[in-house]
Amino acid sequence: MKRLIILLVIPLIFISCENLFESYLNKGPLDKLSETSYWQTGNDALYAVNGLYEGFFEFRKRGDGPAGPGGFPDYDATLDIFHYKDNWKMPMWGAGEGTWNANNDFVREFWDDKYKFIRNANFFFENIDRVRSSISEKDYNNYCGQARVVRAFLYFRLVQGFGDVPLVTNTLETTDWPGRDPAEQVMDFVFSEFDKAITELPEEQSDNLHGRINKDVARIYKARAALHYAGYYGKTGYYQIAYDALDPVVKSGKYELWNKNENPVMNYQEMFWTENEGQENKEMVFSFQFIKDKYPSNISTCFAGPGWKSHQVMQNFIDQFECKHGFQAHGISFKEMNEYRDTKALKSPLEGVCPDYDPFHEFEHRDPRLSATFMNGNPRLNKEGNIVRDGEFWEPGQYHIYQEWENDCYSMKKLVQPTNFNPEYYYGNSDNNFPLIRYADVLLLYAEVLNELDQTTEAVPYINKVRARADMPPVVSSDKAEVLEIIKHERKIELVNENHLIWDYKRWKEYERTMPYGAKFYGFRRETFGHESQLNHTKYLVFPKYNLWPIPQGELINNKNMTQNPEW
């Protein structure tokens, strides 16, 4: 099914995106192809729905590899934990540095992409009834439900990024220049779309690779929207709505955490590999589909390829990984660990309190997800007293991965596909799917909702399910504030680089807490070896300005009804 969906998507993208819907503001005639060549059969409706799935693609578009779309997930680069090796190439970087403006490429691409696919969805709803007689009622509802979820997701993303945005539910004429609608109005539409889609969609789709939207996918996206609305906008009544959406998913018994390998490091890694994308992987609820040579990503090259390793983390995030006994065993505060840490001035929180912690061997006796997520640089002193990093031989890929010399950061292992390196390295051609919804994420969202609804005792077991899979000890707490800090910690450790944390930080309003103005971030702790840690970068973010992104400058120039966000 993976191959079928992608092959049906690609030709439709050429028809609907390039020729019909070039961009949101380029409102050329919509009848060039559609009126004469399209909407003739029921298959046209299916192809149109397949084309909408491209709206879930949220990678940095570098066009790398033998075919599109290339790219890699980089949204978490806006946070306090990541460093770009070649930050001058990445427009997302400015959001973390405090150098963004309304001309930023990422902001423009984000806005344009979302409205391009909103326009495609609007066009779908305006035309599907033309072929309704040639499709069954079941298929009609199914296609409409899938399209509705895509459109609701896109509007939800726009609200997360920009706040108030134009709510457009029909294709625009060249004379239409809509202004921004209140976020509350847009979110009302989002929830109504999710609700209707849940009634239209089947419980299961005929897809063994988690590439199709079903009722549960709609429920989970609705829950995410409700959590953002409750957290960022203070609409606390929506915690109950999030609970009502997640509860049937969690209680269904259809999903379970991936647990096929007794080695917790390998177990976590293997979950994301191509060979484990089938029906037996009940942790993957929904994923973006890639195909080698035809429709690959560039994840493995960008994360681990020789000369690349462009997306890396700094020492402050490594410090957040617990020892095998857990933070609570040593009285280490989750709250303090979730805040900004100057790792040049501060030792590891484990040093002096965990008997198994060895600062010269940072990855030993730690949460297994540390070794599963990052390559171990294995720093040491040579005979001349200089620090060298021997890197790590990655057994699954039969590949020795060295840290790059340009900085002191830690490169990614999670989401890297071994067959990109074994039996031989190939560039920019990753075919493992990218997780959009994992059951671990669902369990942590469910725990967060229960905690917000003052059911803290009931929330903790769901956190511990995720920790148990990683062979980590259970946490114990009945304090609502502490449990929220534990959930924040667990989501960062479990979901890093899956494009979720950027939105978590927004709804938790964590940016100022984790990246105060002038905060300095460093690579690995060189003080352990008698040297001085190297500064990677300094954050100069101003709040509340950076809580919302700037409306693209081009929109303001072309549309007299468009207004800018405060302070931009």
Side-chain angles (χ1 to χ4, degrees):
M1 191 63 185
K2 172 178 180 176
R3 184 172 300 273
L4 175 61
I5 291 176
I6 295 297
L7 292 180
L8 292 179
V9 166
I10 292 173
L12 189 71
I13 291 170
F14 295 147
I15 294 172
S16 62
C17 299
E18 293 187 10
N19 293 335
L20 294 179
F21 311 124
E22 186 83 33
S23 70
Y24 174 55
L25 288 178
N26 181 11
K27 298 186 287 289
L30 297 180
D31 59 354
K32 183 177 181 181
L33 284 177
S34 61
E35 295 294 332
T36 60
S37 305
Y38 210 67
W39 298 107
Q40 303 297 315
T41 70
N43 281 338
D44 293 337
L46 173 61
Y47 299 155
V49 170
N50 288 342
L52 292 176
Y53 276 78
E54 183 79 359
F56 289 107
F57 182 78
E58 294 187 308
F59 284 14
R60 174 64 187 143
K61 297 178 181 178
R62 295 184 53 81
D64 298 301
F72 62 98
D74 70 339
Y75 280 17
D76 290 354
T78 61
L79 310 181
D80 57 320
I81 57 181
F82 271 99
H83 175 74
Y84 271 138
K85 187 184 77 171
D86 298 318
N87 57 63
W88 58 274
K89 298 178 182 177
M90 308 297 179
M92 173 63 85
W93 181 250
E97 288 283 272
T99 58
W100 255 12
N101 58 51
N103 288 312
N104 180 269
D105 285 345
F106 170 80
V107 171
R108 175 183 53 76
E109 290 173 3
F110 187 94
W111 178 281
D112 288 349
D113 284 351
K114 298 304 182 257
Y115 275 111
K116 176 174 68 178
F117 286 101
I118 285 171
R119 188 173 187 176
N120 290 9
N122 291 343
F123 194 71
F124 168 87
F125 284 111
E126 290 174 356
N127 286 277
I128 186 173
D129 283 346
R130 295 174 57 185
V131 296
R132 185 167 186 174
S133 61
S134 60
I135 55 179
S136 69
E137 188 70 15
K138 177 182 176 182
D139 286 343
Y140 176 85
N141 288 332
N142 189 2
Y143 299 160
C144 288
Q146 292 177 64
R148 219 176 290 283
V149 169
V150 175
R151 184 167 62 175
F153 161 78
L154 295 167
Y155 270 120
F156 170 42
R157 275 289 191 262
L158 285 164
V159 170
Q160 287 178 301
F162 301 100
D164 300 347
V165 294
L167 176 60
V168 181
T169 58
N170 59 282
T171 53
L172 297 177
E173 300 296 332
T174 56
T175 55
D176 295 332
W177 298 100
R180 299 168 71 185
D181 293 297
E184 290 81 0
Q185 181 181 340
V186 180
M187 291 302 290
D188 285 346
F189 175 76
V190 166
F191 289 118
S192 68
E193 288 286 274
F194 282 135
D195 286 339
K196 188 166 185 179
I198 292 168
T199 68
E200 294 171 322
L201 289 164
E203 290 287 350
E204 303 286 349
Q205 294 278 14
S206 57
D207 174 21
N208 292 331
L209 297 179
H210 324 292
R212 283 282 185 191
I213 298 168
N214 59 23
K215 282 186 187 294
D216 286 343
V217 171
R219 289 172 177 136
I220 295 164
Y221 275 118
K222 178 184 176 182
R224 287 180 180 173
L227 273 164
H228 182 78
Y229 206 33
Y232 187 84
Y233 287 96
K235 308 286 187 178
T236 55
Y238 278 79
Y239 286 122
Q240 183 63 49
I241 291 174
Y243 171 84
D244 292 341
L246 290 173
D247 191 59
V249 179
V250 174
K251 301 292 178 57
S252 70
K254 295 191 296 184
Y255 308 102
E256 59 188 44
L257 297 175
W258 174 263
N259 213 354
K260 305 292 185 181
N261 193 319
E262 292 182 357
N263 180 331
V265 174
M266 294 308 301
N267 187 58
Y268 185 79
Q269 281 185 57
E270 291 172 355
M271 167 174 47
F272 303 101
W273 294 351
T274 302
E275 55 265 38
N276 296 320
E277 291 174 346
Q279 223 170 6
E280 73 280 0
N281 191 337
K282 296 183 179 180
E283 175 153 355
M284 295 299 171
V285 181
F286 185 43
S287 59
F288 194 89
Q289 312 280 295
F290 293 106
I291 299 176
K292 180 182 176 181
D293 297 326
K294 295 180 174 63
Y295 198 81
S297 80
N298 200 20
I299 294 176
S300 295
T301 293
C302 286
F303 285 178
W308 285 76
K309 304 178 185 67
S310 54
H311 207 34
Q312 306 169 336
V313 300
M314 298 172 289
Q315 185 63 48
N316 64 310
F317 190 53
I318 301 300
D319 283 356
Q320 292 188 39
F321 284 80
E322 301 165 80
C323 66
K324 64 182 182 180
H325 314 113
F327 281 161
Q328 288 186 330
H330 305 300
I332 298 172
S333 165
F334 284 101
K335 178 179 181 295
E336 291 180 6
M337 292 307 301
N338 284 332
E339 295 171 349
Y340 167 66
R341 284 179 58 80
D342 182 339
T343 58
K344 181 179 178 181
L346 299 172
K347 294 181 178 180
S348 165
L350 298 173
E351 189 165 348
V353 298
C354 174
D356 295 322
Y357 176 71
D358 179 358
F360 293 96
H361 299 93
E362 187 82 65
F363 280 50
E364 292 183 2
H365 309 296
R366 303 287 290 274
D367 183 327
R369 289 171 291 187
L370 176 59
S371 293
T373 304
F374 302 108
M375 299 295 178
N376 187 351
N378 284 305
R380 61 177 176 84
L381 285 178
N382 63 14
K383 290 186 293 186
E384 291 75 29
N386 298 317
I387 298 175
V388 295
R389 291 191 289 172
D390 294 327
E392 172 186 348
F393 182 76
W394 187 40
E395 184 71 29
Q398 289 294 295
Y399 175 59
H400 199 116
I401 301 184
Y402 296 94
Q403 297 295 335
E404 303 299 324
W405 61 268
E406 292 97 331
N407 60 65
D408 285 355
C409 295
Y410 300 80
S411 58
M412 295 296 302
K413 185 187 297 179
K414 175 182 176 180
L415 295 171
V416 176
Q417 175 64 27
T419 54
N420 265 77
F421 302 92
N422 182 23
E424 62 181 353
Y425 172 67
Y426 57 83
Y427 167 83
N429 203 1
S430 302
D431 64 342
N432 50 321
N433 295 337
F434 181 74
L436 298 173
I437 300 175
R438 275 203 293 133
Y439 191 51
D441 174 27
V442 174
L443 289 175
L444 294 174
L445 291 175
Y446 192 61
E448 185 174 348
V449 168
L450 287 170
N451 189 54
E452 293 292 348
L453 293 174
D454 298 319
Q455 299 179 51
T456 298
T457 302
E458 292 83 354
V460 171
Y462 294 100
I463 305 171
N464 286 332
K465 283 186 178 183
V466 178
R467 291 175 63 86
R469 188 264 296 280
D471 201 26
M472 289 297 292
V475 292
V476 178
S477 180
S478 58
D479 181 83
K480 181 177 179 179
E482 182 182 28
V483 168
L484 179 57
E485 295 295 338
I486 293 171
I487 291 169
K488 290 177 180 179
H489 165 87
E490 198 64 28
R491 287 188 65 80
K492 285 190 273 189
I493 300 301
E494 177 70 25
L495 300 172
V496 64
N497 238 3
E498 295 181 46
N499 280 349
H500 297 312
L501 300 184
I502 178 177
W503 312 119
D504 288 346
Y505 272 48
K506 273 186 176 261
R507 64 186 169 82
W508 294 332
K509 299 184 178 178
E510 290 286 279
Y511 285 121
E512 193 164 9
R513 179 188 178 199
T514 57
M515 297 178 285
Y517 189 86
K520 298 182 183 299
F521 293 88
Y522 300 87
F524 76 88
R525 194 174 273 108
R526 285 175 168 260
E527 283 74 16
T528 300
F529 302 92
H531 290 243
E532 184 176 350
S533 288
Q534 293 184 358
L535 178 67
N536 283 117
H537 56 95
T538 305
K539 304 278 191 179
Y540 294 108
L541 279 74
V542 177
F543 299 95
K545 174 182 177 179
Y546 267 86
N547 288 333
L548 293 175
W549 300 340
I551 303 298
Q553 187 65 30
E555 298 296 319
L556 300 172
I557 293 172
N558 288 302
N559 184 354
K560 65 181 180 180
N561 298 316
M562 193 65 66
T563 57
Q564 185 57 278
N565 272 325
E567 301 184 50
W568 289 102

